[in-house]
Amino acid sequence: MPSQARKLRVCALYPDLMNIYADRGNLIVLERRCAWRGIGFQLNVCGMGEQLDSDGSDLFYLGGGQDRDQLLCAADLVSFKRAALHRAADRGAVVLGVCGGYQLLGHSYVVGEQEITGVGLVDVHTVRAAAPRLIGNIAIEVQLEQQSPPRVLAGFENHGGRTHLGAHAEPLGRVLKGHGNDGTSGYEGVRRANVIGTYLHGPLLPKNAWFADWLIAAALGVQPRDLGELPDDELESQAHASALRAAGM
Ligand code: GLN
């Protein structure tokens, strides 16, 4: 497909409420890396009370949020967006949840006496432990394609919730430095085909431009190598290296 004919359609879910640690930077990275390649970019927004169009976007993005913001979004997400997100995931669209957004992609998030129901796109559940928050720089090893070598994602995590993988869930990666899903399992995030949840903020994509490219390719249904290298990725490489150093790699 000629690049002019390609367009990445991204849907930001609750960009006003689910956006801590400048998670909106992830959207800017997607837009820039498409623009630099001559790929069109369309940003759709779906907020409170709005029905989600399952066919209207190729990548659905749910950022991080404080417990109270998550609570506000969770009921709305289940009522207005759950079915559409399942339809989108079933046709291969990318769904990316970061931290609070990751927790809501699972079955539930238990905070004290309260159980917040998630959309159940992935087989995980999260419990807010009466224990210190899991905070700090983190690096994880991921293998997104069987035939390619493992790569490293670096970022920052800050969560009170501990996420547990169900019997059928695959982690996104293995913790090299940091806490990950629950501080003990050695796993971070979850992946079911193109549905990905992770605790990595920072935001995630400015620190891991290679992963932004992987997401763009997956959302467009092409191989990452088909996107082609960008002529100058020096700043992005430095950002990645700096995040790795911060994590002690
Ligand atoms: N409120 C959630 C927790 O503390 C998620 C926080 C976040 O998105 N950083 O576990």
Side-chain angles (χ1 to χ4, degrees), residues 75 101 129 132 142 171 180 183:
V142 300

Side-chain angles (χ1 to χ4, degrees), residues 189-230:
V190 71
R191 178 179 180 202
R192 179 171 73 87
N194 286 346
V195 179
I196 289 177
T198 178
Y199 275 115
L200 272 67
H201 288 279
L204 169 70
L205 300 183
K207 292 182 173 180
N208 301 282
W210 72 265
F211 186 55
D213 287 351
W214 186 88
L215 292 170
I216 293 169
L220 292 175
V222 301
Q223 294 299 318
R225 65 175 172 278
D226 297 336
L227 292 181
E229 297 287 321
L230 288 171

